[in-house]
Amino acid sequence: MAAPLPLRFVSSFACKNDMPTTRAEVALVGRSNVGKSSLLNVLAQNRKLARTSKTPGATRLLNAYELEPEGSLRWIVDMPGYGYGQASKVDQSRWNAMAEEYLLRRESLGLVLHLIDAAVGPTQLDLKTVDWLNALNLSVNCIATKVDKIRPSRMHTRRRELANKLDLQQNSILWVSSTKKIGIPELRAHIVKLLKPAA
């Protein structure tokens, strides 16, 4: 079983230009209540690493977490969630611009992990984001979260439905649960491989 990721919070950044140069980065992208903070906490086995909130939209900056040792400059970047209905149009526009600048121009960004609520399935906004990420020509992996909320009798059907809607092969989607820790060892190993490739 993959060990917990030794992550530490570095800082929050309002834009890409505020961020120092790093060696490698993985970005987390998803709807406001898809469970990005909970996933970070379970990956690190540290409930206090990333702030979780019952109110969607808590993440409004680019929050950087470094894979130890300190100074490794290998980061996971938690991006502001999209689809927060109560945010003003000005805030939404500002967040979108910040996200696009980061995703397009961050040279050390190696992969985007696009989180989608497995229990809900991809929303129209999720599908638009898939198209947008593909148009940016980014390397993207789909992570289906909250898999514990799907009844076992529905799991096979839900896997097929989600893959079809995303136009992906079922085996290319990693299904995880922060609550039950399903898929977490595999995701930890995947992230370590990305941030610390073999010499």
Side-chain angles (χ1 to χ4, degrees):
M1 179 178 292
L5 299 183
L7 294 170
R8 70 176 191 92
F9 175 67
V10 178
S11 187
S12 297
F13 302 93
C15 67
K16 176 194 74 69
N17 292 338
D18 292 340
M19 304 170 78
T21 300
T22 60
R23 293 189 177 94
E25 289 179 21
V26 170
L28 299 183
V29 173
R31 286 194 299 118
S32 294
N33 58 347
V34 76
K36 292 189 283 90
S37 296
S38 295
L39 184 62
L40 272 168
N41 288 344
V42 77
L43 286 172
Q45 201 170 305
N46 179 358
R47 289 181 292 178
K48 297 181 179 180
L49 177 68
R51 185 182 70 171
T52 59
S53 173
K54 294 181 179 180
T55 303
T59 302
R60 301 192 178 195
L61 299 168
L62 297 165
N63 292 326
Y65 300 85
E66 185 173 58
L67 194 64
E68 293 184 344
E70 185 173 347
S72 73
L73 298 176
R74 301 183 187 278
W75 288 5
I76 296 177
V77 177
D78 183 16
M79 302 185 66
Y82 55 80
Y84 178 42
Q86 295 185 33
S88 69
K89 289 185 177 180
V90 172
D91 277 342
Q92 290 181 20
S93 178
R94 179 173 58 82
W95 298 345
N96 290 341
M98 172 178 61
E100 184 163 357
E101 179 190 33
Y102 170 76
L103 292 171
L104 269 176
R105 305 186 185 282
R106 189 64 173 168
E107 293 183 1
S108 53
L109 177 62
L111 180 72
V112 174
L113 299 179
H114 186 194
L115 277 56
I116 292 178
D117 190 324
V120 173
T123 65
Q124 285 301 312
L125 195 51
D126 286 325
L127 295 175
K128 286 182 180 179
T129 301
V130 169
D131 290 341
W132 178 58
L133 292 172
N134 288 337
L136 296 178
N137 199 29
L138 297 168
S139 179
V140 181
N141 285 174
C142 177
I143 310 295
T145 65
K146 305 183 183 181
V147 65
D148 57 288
K149 294 186 177 182
I150 303 172
R151 296 195 307 271
S153 61
R154 286 280 300 160
M155 180 61 70
H156 179 73
T157 300
R158 177 50 58 90
R159 283 178 180 267
R160 185 178 67 250
E161 289 173 347
L162 191 142
N164 288 342
K165 288 181 179 179
L166 295 172
D167 195 24
L168 294 172
Q169 297 295 320
Q170 290 189 42
N171 60 8
S172 71
I173 301 170
L174 181 57
W175 294 70
V176 304
S177 165
S178 297
T179 303
K180 301 293 185 180
K181 299 185 175 55
I182 298 168
I184 297 303
E186 293 82 358
L187 184 54
R188 285 171 177 162
H190 187 46
I191 290 173
V192 168
K193 184 177 179 180
L194 290 163
L195 293 180
K196 288 187 173 182

